[in-house]
Amino acid sequence: MKIAILTGGGDAPGLNPVIRAVAKVAKENQVEMIGIKRGWAGLVELDHFPLKWEDVKNLHSEGGTFLLSSRTNPIKMENGIKLVSENLKQVADGLIAMGGEDTLGVANELYKNGINVVGVPKTIDNDLFSTDYTIGFDTAINITVEAIDRIRSTGKSHERFMVVEVMGRHAGWLAVHSGLAAGADIILYPEEKYDSQEVCNKIKELKKQGQNTGIIVIAEGAEEKEGSYTTQDQELDAFGHVKLGGAGEKLAKLIEDKTGIETRHIVLGHLVRGGTPSAFDRVYGARLGYAAIKLVLEKKWGQMLTLRGTEIKSMSLEDGVKQLKTVTSDYKDLIKQLT
Ligand code: F6P
């Protein structure tokens, strides 16, 4: 049996441990692995290579993706799904696709077009409804928390308020988890529109109480009550996503202008997507890789893996990509209590 494997969309720490586990378990089961380069782009151009266990055995601690990635979307190309399906059939009997909503959405289209596909959930945004956690999220929160702890100490020395912008697209998981873990004073996230005047009032109140420094975590996709999210430019990517960014800078300036309190901002951005995966993401990655090959051996096509509680399960790709997971009311209540 020959199985191809690819990673699509933004990279995430933990992808390499998945690839490593897939390669090892495949080898033990006489499954030949074919690496596809740069996600769907590699199936459009048929850029592939034999993926050997020996090449990936030391990848357990490496961030990024050995297979490279892209945001190429075959659905947007004329006859794209047909082309990708035919190219895949030339080199393999099936495909393991690792990605978020976009990549797994394409995987589902391929499955509907008769291709043998298994999906693995990945994104630092943790916004896939089908799974409790996506690979990469744990590392990203831990790096964010470490960064905030560092920013806090310089903010304290200079008696400044510090605005920290984090990724996450239109879901606030990264902002909420890291903000709670780092004891932020204010957490702003897309699921709860914010009033900038209230933010300023809160900072003035903290200052009145003798607090001369503080942390405001803002998700890149956070929206003001009287506005929308902030974008870097007008461009959309191949999946129709805007390029978010700038919310932190805008807010820091506004706080300083309206309160006179010195406020700086930092954009953590891609920093938290890179580097070595956490122990959780390494083990989770190994479990996903093993489970992916098991689905392949059992010929359970059209399925994607999910983590429910502590168990790795699977569900249909069709159901798995139906909706996004956004911040739930229990977290919203908790944030109201703690900030
Ligand atoms: O989906 C993962 C993610 O990191 C988002 O949080 C972010 O908005 C986006 O990717 C950034 O994409 P790019 O790497 O293309 O700039």
Side-chain angles (χ1 to χ4, degrees):
M1 196 191 233
K2 272 190 184 177
I3 297 296
I5 180 167
L6 62 78
T7 52
D11 66 345
L15 282 172
N16 281 329
V18 182
I19 299 167
R20 177 182 186 268
V22 164
K24 180 68 163 65
V25 185
K27 187 181 174 186
E28 298 301 321
N29 288 278
Q30 290 78 49
V31 175
E32 210 178 304
M33 292 304 304
I34 309 293
I36 304 291
K37 285 190 183 172
R38 297 177 199 89
W40 300 119
L43 275 180
V44 170
E45 294 149 14
L46 209 46
D47 195 352
H48 65 102
F49 63 98
L51 183 77
K52 301 273 180 241
W53 159 241
E54 292 68 31
D55 299 332
V56 296
K57 68 188 289 189
N58 294 322
L59 289 189
H60 55 282
S61 58
E62 264 192 44
T65 164
F66 176 74
L67 295 170
L68 309 178
S69 195
S70 73
R71 294 199 188 275
T72 298
N73 181 4
I75 297 175
K76 282 276 161 73
M77 298 173 176
E78 211 182 315
N79 291 322
I81 290 294
K82 194 165 167 258
L83 171 72
V84 162
S85 303
E86 279 164 10
N87 281 349
L88 178 75
K89 280 189 207 153
Q90 280 187 44
V91 293
D93 308 305
L95 173 71
I96 297 174
M98 296 192 261
E101 45 151 343
D102 300 330
T103 305
L104 296 183
V106 176
N108 188 38
E109 288 307 310
L110 286 179
Y111 176 64
K112 289 197 278 185
N113 200 42
I115 295 296
N116 298 330
V117 190
V118 162
V120 177
K122 131 339 310 194
T123 163
I124 62 160
D125 303 342
N126 199 34
D127 58 355
L128 291 182
F129 193 75
S130 46
T131 186
D132 291 349
Y133 287 100
T134 48
I135 197 99
F137 177 60
D138 182 70
T139 308
I141 323 163
N142 281 298
I143 301 300
T144 307
V145 170
E146 192 197 323
I148 297 175
D149 289 348
R150 288 173 185 274
I151 290 157
R152 184 187 287 287
S153 70
T154 167
K156 202 169 161 188
S157 307
H158 290 265
E159 299 177 287
R160 290 170 176 153
F161 280 76
M162 305 296 282
V163 175
V164 183
E165 180 184 310
V166 299
M167 282 184 166
R169 205 160 257 163
H170 300 293
W173 294 111
L174 202 50
V176 164
H177 274 249
S178 59
L180 285 169
D185 299 285
I186 298 173
I187 304 173
L188 306 171
Y189 52 102
E191 293 83 348
E192 199 75 353
K193 289 196 172 203
Y194 71 92
D195 180 340
S196 52
Q197 190 53 53
E198 275 174 25
V199 172
C200 291
N201 292 346
K202 173 136 195 219
I203 291 172
K204 280 200 277 187
E205 187 52 39
L206 289 173
K207 189 96 176 160
K208 218 160 103 191
Q209 290 165 6
Q211 188 180 320
N212 291 333
T213 180
I215 297 286
I216 300 115
V217 174
I218 183 165
E220 60 177 2
E223 294 182 39
E224 273 193 78
K225 271 189 182 145
E226 307 297 328
S228 183
Y229 43 71
T230 317
T231 55
Q232 294 175 40
D233 51 40
Q234 303 303 311
E235 273 174 43
L236 299 181
D237 70 14
F239 286 89
H241 300 296
V242 292
K243 230 189 267 167
L244 293 168
E249 183 174 10
K250 202 170 104 189
L251 181 68
K253 192 171 178 325
L254 187 137
I255 294 170
E256 221 175 60
D257 289 350
K258 284 204 172 175
T259 65
I261 297 168
E262 193 176 16
T263 308
R264 295 286 164 91
H265 83 278
I266 182 166
V267 181
L268 294 183
H270 296 87
L271 176 85
V272 309
R273 223 169 75 180
T276 59
S278 65
F280 178 89
D281 277 330
R282 295 182 199 194
V283 177
Y284 182 27
R287 294 180 77 197
L288 287 173
Y290 175 48
I293 281 290
K294 265 176 44 184
L295 284 182
V296 164
L297 292 171
E298 288 161 12
K299 297 194 165 41
K300 289 193 176 151
W301 308 116
Q303 295 280 300
M304 66 172 281
L305 296 167
T306 73
L307 181 71
R308 285 298 187 205
T310 55
E311 270 184 78
I312 305 277
K313 299 196 168 188
S314 69
M315 70 189 298
S316 74
L317 271 167
E318 180 77 15
D319 288 340
V321 297
K322 253 185 199 150
Q323 54 175 317
L324 282 184
K325 180 178 66 186
T326 49
V327 172
T328 44
S329 57
D330 52 334
Y331 278 94
K332 292 184 187 178
D333 292 345
L334 183 62
I335 289 165
K336 281 189 190 122
Q337 295 294 317
L338 296 186
T339 58

